[in-house]
Amino acid sequence: MLIAGNWKMFKGPGEAESFFDAFDAPAGVDVVFCPPYVSLAAAVATGRTIYAQNVHWEPTGAYTGEVSAEMLRELGVDGALVGHSERRQLFGETDENVARRARAALEAGLGVIACVGETLEQRESGDTELVLKIQVEALAFAAGEHERLVIAYEPVWAIGTGKTATPEQAQAAHAFIRGLLDRPVLYGGSVKPENAAELLSQPSVDGALVGGASLDPDSFAAICRAASTS
Ligand code: PGA
């Protein structure tokens, strides 16, 4: 089981340190933290497994605001998220450049959690599998079944909304993704201590990518505990 906490644009270095002082991780579960770039160094200093929230495909260059895999490695960062729906929806990222980010990070020796998922409109019009197929195949084409690639299924309608996919919806999407690319699949979208155990008990759910509930050390630890027993 892998539980990743995506802090998004929360917690500068000081708050990150306070979080780690208060966080008590259970044994038997792999825990990854994804703080903002400015807090990566403080997070790496704790000895925990730290991923960035994004990564560029070139090692260096005129790409204002971007950070490369080589730079992350120099800092001791172990991996990166790519293709989060907020990057896709708010910052114009595409299946193609998400796949380039994933490939470059994997080639540089980083782990990658690549996010896919349908919007509410796509689900309601019956296009969930088509959207997942397009997104996952772009990743599969760029990275294949790389051993450090993990997929995160995050239905966009469940992110930060309090709405969670039912365990059955999650299981169906995960099994579909697994049929396209044989890599572990995390579930993301309003995972909380109250719903974690049920979601994580689904046979094709290999862990969780947690946003809001990863900001509080106690609620994130509770989710990690649910993972360690499922
Ligand atoms: P949420 O976010 O847990 O707050 O819904 C999940 C994510 O965006 O990765």
Side-chain angles (χ1 to χ4, degrees):
M1 278 282 168
L2 170 64
I3 304 294
N6 172 17
W7 288 356
K8 309 192 179 185
M9 200 171 73
F10 293 96
K11 297 191 192 296
E15 279 186 48
E17 276 171 21
S18 311
F19 176 97
F20 288 116
D21 286 346
F23 178 73
D24 194 14
V29 50
D30 293 326
V31 184
V32 166
F33 295 90
C34 311
Y37 289 123
V38 294
S39 300
L40 287 172
V44 166
T46 65
R48 296 195 179 277
T49 305
I50 306 302
Y51 277 32
Q53 294 176 15
N54 206 353
V55 59
H56 197 262
W57 52 87
E58 293 291 345
T60 54
Y63 300 103
T64 303
E66 294 281 338
V67 170
S68 73
E70 288 73 9
M71 292 168 181
L72 293 172
R73 289 210 50 179
E74 183 180 345
L75 206 58
V77 170
D78 195 46
L81 298 180
V82 300
H84 191 279
S85 65
E86 286 151 17
R87 298 300 317 171
R88 295 175 186 264
Q89 294 203 311
L90 304 174
F91 301 98
E93 295 200 12
T94 62
D95 290 334
E96 191 208 343
N97 68 40
V98 168
R100 291 177 82 185
R101 290 175 193 274
R103 179 164 60 197
L106 292 165
E107 281 176 355
L110 292 176
V112 167
I113 299 173
C115 307
V116 299
E118 79 289 359
T119 63
L120 185 59
E121 198 186 359
Q122 289 163 338
R123 176 164 282 267
E124 285 178 344
S125 57
D127 290 333
T128 297
E129 291 195 345
L130 177 63
V131 170
L132 294 177
K133 188 170 189 312
I134 291 168
Q135 292 177 343
V136 173
E137 283 185 348
L139 289 161
F141 180 73
E145 289 174 10
H146 195 290
E147 61 174 10
R148 295 216 64 200
L149 175 63
V150 170
I151 305 296
Y153 170 60
E154 297 206 302
V156 178
W157 48 272
I159 294 179
T161 57
K163 285 187 201 158
T164 316
T166 63
E168 295 73 27
Q169 285 172 323
Q171 169 58 29
H174 283 226
F176 179 74
I177 291 168
R178 202 58 182 260
L180 299 168
L181 182 63
D182 192 15
R183 295 302 305 145
V185 187
L186 313 182
Y187 171 78
S190 298
V191 176
K192 303 182 272 274
E194 303 78 57
N195 60 24
E198 200 183 5
L199 287 160
L200 292 168
S201 68
Q202 298 302 308
S204 303
V205 175
D206 302 304
L209 178 55
V210 186
S214 73
L215 295 172
D216 176 72
D218 295 335
S219 72
F220 194 52
I223 293 169
C224 295
R225 277 196 300 278
S228 72
T229 54
S230 35

